[in-house]
Amino acid sequence: MAVIGGMTALDESVLRNLGDEALGILTTSWYSAELDNPLNKVFAPAFRKQFKYDPGYYAGSTYVAGAVLEAAVKTTEGNVEDKKALMAAIRGSGAQTIRGVVKFDEFGNAIGDVYIRKVTKADGRLVNAVVKTYPDVTQFWTYNKAEFLKNPVYSRDYPPAKNLEQ
């Protein structure tokens, strides 16, 4: 049976505590310490050297947020007091980050690559090797945006789960 999981199921913070039983498990995430891009090739080894383990979702998300903010601060030439200009710079930055380019849609939601990862071994440790990339994923994925937005907001009552409690 194939085992699959979400991004935190085998985040690097979890993976480092597992053994070979994790080999071959597939997960999806917007980050992997194994991403092959120039920024991550500097970040991940430096993190590993300092902390003695691979960066995962939690370290990556903080670093990505910092990169997006830094790009916006540079765009506004450090004028962070102009809140409208700062927000426009954040939303329009298309910042290069350790996860790849991060953009924002008109609703303020992130657009970026999403990765299918497979647990393999590299340098004697378990890693989340990227086996497939879905570029520029939005909150709408493959759904028609107009049709999607016609639906009620997701809540405990929508979509209805009619067979849970009877």
Side-chain angles (χ1 to χ4, degrees), residues 54-118:
D54 288 324
Y57 164 82
Y58 301 101
S61 63
T62 303
Y63 205 80
V64 167
V68 170
L69 183 57
E70 179 182 38
V73 169
K74 285 180 181 176
T75 298
T76 62
E77 298 177 347
N79 184 10
V80 297
E81 298 303 318
D82 184 344
K83 306 294 187 235
K84 285 187 178 186
L86 181 62
M87 288 306 299
I90 288 171
R91 288 187 171 188
S93 72
Q96 293 287 341
T97 75
I98 59 171
R99 70 167 281 195
V101 176
V102 174
K103 300 175 274 189
F104 294 91
D105 67 13
E106 67 268 30
F107 304 105
N109 289 301
I111 301 170
D113 295 350
V114 173
Y115 307 99
I116 304 299
R117 311 171 314 170
K118 183 176 186 176

Side-chain angles (χ1 to χ4, degrees), residues 90-149:
I90 288 171
R91 288 187 171 188
S93 72
Q96 293 287 341
T97 75
I98 59 171
R99 70 167 281 195
V101 176
V102 174
K103 300 175 274 189
F104 294 91
D105 67 13
E106 67 268 30
F107 304 105
N109 289 301
I111 301 170
D113 295 350
V114 173
Y115 307 99
I116 304 299
R117 311 171 314 170
K118 183 176 186 176
V119 178
T120 63
K121 273 197 171 176
D123 301 321
R125 68 189 198 290
L126 295 174
V127 297
N128 284 309
V130 175
V131 296
K132 184 167 178 65
T133 301
Y134 290 94
D136 295 324
V137 175
T138 72
Q139 66 174 321
F140 302 110
W141 184 231
T142 58
Y143 298 101
N144 175 285
K145 179 171 62 172
E147 290 299 314
F148 186 90
L149 291 172

